[in-house]
Amino acid sequence: MRVAVVGAGIGGLAVAVGLQHSGHDVAVFERRTRPNAVGSGLTLFENTFAALEVLGLANAVRDISSGQIASMRTGQRRPSGAWLMTVPPGAVASLRSVHRMDLHRALTDQLRAGSLRTGIDAHASADGAPEVTIDNRKEFFDLVVVADGIRSDNRVRLGLDTGVLYAGYTTWRGVTTGPVDLQGEAGETWGRGKLFGIVPLPDHRIYWFGTLNTPEATAFTDEYETAKKTYVDWHSPVQECIAATPPAEVIRHDIYDLARPLPSFTRGRTVLLGDAAHAMTPNLGQGAGQAIEDAAILTRLLRGVSARDVLAALSRYNALRMKRTQTISRRSRATGRIAQASRPLTVALRDTALRLTPGTVMGAVSRSIQRWDVQ
């Protein structure tokens, strides 16, 4: 089959590679002239690697990722450094971390030469017909995969959009240029209306992120200095991680997810994938993982399928992906509300609940999300 993929993010590249490995003719359209991921990290769980196996990408991703976090103490801490909860090692035994740019590059390298077309704004057909419009010229396919992100123009064009919702907080992200002594500890620190996360990456770099409750579209004169002041007096190595990051490489984004679940991930012979279908807050670390699961399911369903059977495959994709992704999205949003609590009494109750909850319970919850079969 001839397939168009609109969007060269992680989900779009993963499905393109998977479909090419299955023998399909795939063209990837990306509006940016130099597509790449922002300078931050990702955590990849067991379910993500199960999906990568289906796509034939697991070994390539393992080669560029780190499993160091699985051997560290991780969980939630107070700003003082006191642990609220420690996650059992078994719950993160398969957890790996990777720099987004490295993952993006590895996926791009797996594409067949000439299949990625950049600087092209491709528009899906409003009725879901398998075609894309480029500069008032139509190109025809057997299937169109829309993977153009949370603010997908094509989702709107297909009549499936429900809008986006500001989560109430913004996030700084950075990657250190060298090692920082983590003293064998990683995970998140939860304060009042803000948190800080630390994840070791390959090559001794550290990916860190910090959140802050703030009105939407708040502007800061100096992002780097504001990030430092936001976590002043927090336990080591919070300040050390920020200090080891070049100021110009500290980035910040307001956090959004979809305002409401979509009524469908498909329309005609056009299918939504990744953030275009189920953008979620980052609180469970499953955004990229769910996009890769989408890619694996779609690849499996289309393996050996001819153009006349596409609609049946898309119906099955819809049934398999909507419930799981929308459930995880709701859980992620709820976790974010708890983590970002700011009222003193609410924070005290949250911290007490964390201290009293056995780590094995939290581990079981984490494993329930990570359990996934290609079906």
Side-chain angles (χ1 to χ4, degrees):
M1 287 196 308
R2 190 159 186 254
V3 182
V5 176
V6 182
I10 289 170
L13 292 173
V15 74
V17 172
L19 291 174
Q20 285 183 345
H21 286 174
S22 296
H24 298 291
D25 179 12
V26 182
V28 183
F29 300 96
E30 170 56 49
R31 68 174 58 182
R32 295 171 296 174
T33 55
R34 298 182 64 185
N36 209 333
V38 295
S40 60
L42 283 173
T43 48
L44 305 177
F45 293 85
E46 180 179 349
N47 57 300
T48 308
F49 276 94
L52 288 168
E53 289 283 0
V54 175
L55 296 166
L57 292 167
N59 289 338
V61 175
R62 284 193 185 96
D63 287 344
I64 60 167
S65 61
S66 168
Q68 181 183 353
I69 195 170
S71 64
M72 303 175 74
R73 186 178 187 182
T74 185
Q76 284 78 35
R77 287 186 268 188
R78 292 179 180 271
S80 66
W83 285 90
L84 293 167
M85 173 180 289
T86 299
V87 176
V92 293
S94 60
L95 181 62
R96 299 185 70 84
S97 57
V98 64
H99 196 293
R100 278 181 179 268
M101 294 177 68
D102 293 340
L103 178 58
H104 193 276
R105 188 180 304 112
L107 295 176
T108 303
D109 288 347
Q110 293 283 328
L111 286 175
R112 292 175 188 161
S115 55
L116 175 58
R117 298 164 59 179
T118 61
I120 295 176
D121 198 2
H123 301 292
S125 175
D127 61 1
E131 61 190 38
V132 296
T133 301
I134 302 167
D135 295 330
N136 296 317
R137 175 179 52 84
K138 290 185 178 181
E139 289 196 28
F140 298 93
F141 298 85
D142 298 303
L143 171 69
V144 176
V145 180
V146 169
D148 54 354
I150 182 173
R151 298 187 183 276
S152 169
D153 294 334
N154 287 299
R155 183 179 65 229
V156 176
R157 191 168 289 108
L158 291 162
L160 298 174
D161 190 48
T162 60
V164 298
L165 179 69
Y166 179 53
Y169 60 96
T170 196
T171 301
W172 288 278
R173 305 177 196 267
V175 175
T176 67
T177 55
V180 172
D181 185 4
L182 302 183
Q183 301 178 359
E185 299 174 331
E188 295 182 349
T189 300
W190 289 9
R192 289 180 52 190
K194 53 189 174 182
L195 64 78
F196 196 92
I198 295 173
V199 179
L201 291 174
D203 303 325
H204 307 292
R205 296 173 297 170
I206 308 298
Y207 163 52
W208 60 267
F209 55 92
T211 70
L212 176 67
N213 290 356
T214 188
E216 185 178 9
T218 297
F220 298 112
T221 303
D222 188 322
E223 298 289 357
Y224 182 77
E225 289 299 324
T226 303
K228 286 172 57 177
K229 291 176 182 177
T230 299
Y231 312 101
V232 69
D233 296 331
W234 281 36
H235 67 81
S236 179
V238 169
Q239 290 292 324
E240 290 90 331
C241 286
I242 300 174
T245 308
E249 295 180 16
V250 174
I251 58 178
R252 182 172 67 88
H253 299 290
D254 285 351
I255 299 299
Y256 296 85
D257 62 0
L258 295 184
R260 296 186 308 281
L262 301 191
S264 175
F265 291 172
T266 66
R267 182 172 175 82
R269 288 173 175 261
T270 299
V271 57
L272 300 178
L273 180 147
D275 282 354
H278 45 70
M280 57 189 69
T281 65
N283 302 93
L284 295 180
Q286 280 288 333
Q290 291 308 302
I292 294 170
E293 280 188 22
D294 289 347
I297 287 287
L298 195 57
T299 295
R300 188 190 69 81
L301 290 172
L302 294 174
R303 195 164 285 159
V305 169
S306 63
R308 67 176 178 272
D309 296 320
V310 165
L311 291 178
L314 296 187
S315 177
R316 182 62 176 155
Y317 171 86
N318 221 29
L320 289 173
R321 297 307 296 157
M322 285 187 67
K323 181 178 179 180
R324 174 165 169 79
T325 57
Q326 291 176 354
T327 296
I328 292 175
S329 180
R330 287 194 298 271
R331 288 186 182 180
S332 189
R333 183 184 292 182
T335 300
R337 288 172 177 161
I338 294 168
Q340 295 294 138
S342 59
R343 294 183 178 180
L345 179 58
T346 305
V347 171
L349 292 172
R350 177 198 69 189
D351 290 357
T352 298
L354 280 173
R355 285 200 314 273
L356 296 178
T357 301
T360 53
V361 172
M362 293 301 292
V365 171
S366 177
R367 284 191 294 271
S368 71
I369 295 174
Q370 294 180 51
R371 281 196 298 269
W372 178 80
D373 186 3
V374 69
Q375 303 181 49

